[in-house]
Amino acid sequence: MDLKKIDAPTSTTTYNRNAIDEETGNIYESISIISKRAEQINSEIKKELIEKLEEFATYNDSLEEIFENKEQIEVSKFYERLPKPHALAVKEWLDNKVYYRDTEADNQ
């Protein structure tokens, strides 16, 4: 996922209910799919952030030697400014970029 090319809103946005449930015909099913995608996005972002912060990690036994690392602060600020995972998931859903399947229909 390229986080620099994301155009999802960073603040609260009202969406058209009909656009959300257009794909499935059921608002609850659509929201369930979006929430599962948001969890996936959140874990991807968290994993990426931890990997980047590990580059700056210093392992000291002394608590007195705490110092600020400017690069680490910049990385953290970048991730704080990103849209929330649920906003990214809704944007992907509305752009038809989320793959899902109905397992109940597959079994019949």
Side-chain angles (χ1 to χ4, degrees):
M1 174 184 302
D2 191 8
L3 297 174
K4 293 182 181 179
K5 295 181 180 178
I6 296 172
D7 61 342
T10 56
S11 62
T12 305
T13 305
T14 303
Y15 294 100
N16 182 357
R17 177 192 174 278
N18 296 329
I20 298 287
D21 68 1
E22 180 180 12
E23 188 76 23
T24 62
N26 185 336
I27 188 73
Y28 301 108
E29 185 177 352
S30 297
I31 290 174
S32 176
I33 294 167
I34 291 169
S35 70
K36 289 176 185 174
R37 179 61 185 140
E39 289 175 12
Q40 292 173 344
I41 292 171
N42 188 41
S43 65
E44 290 174 15
I45 291 174
K46 185 176 180 181
K47 179 181 174 188
E48 188 175 315
L49 175 61
I50 289 171
E51 288 174 359
K52 289 187 179 187
L53 291 178
E54 284 290 320
E55 296 174 9
F56 305 112
T58 57
Y59 301 101
N60 293 337
D61 292 336
S62 173
L63 294 175
E64 297 173 4
E65 296 182 19
I66 297 174
F67 61 94
E68 294 181 2
N69 187 338
K70 292 186 188 285
E71 293 86 9
Q72 186 177 8
I73 293 170
E74 289 300 316
V75 168
S76 296
K77 284 183 179 180
F78 170 76
Y79 280 92
E80 287 176 5
R81 284 188 225 114
L82 285 177
K84 303 295 181 213
H86 65 272
L88 298 171
V90 170
K91 178 70 175 159
E92 286 183 0
W93 178 256
L94 293 175
D95 293 344
N96 293 324
K97 294 181 180 177
V98 177
Y99 171 77
Y100 76 96
R101 64 183 188 153
D102 186 2
T103 55
E104 290 180 13
D106 291 345
N107 291 335
Q108 294 178 1

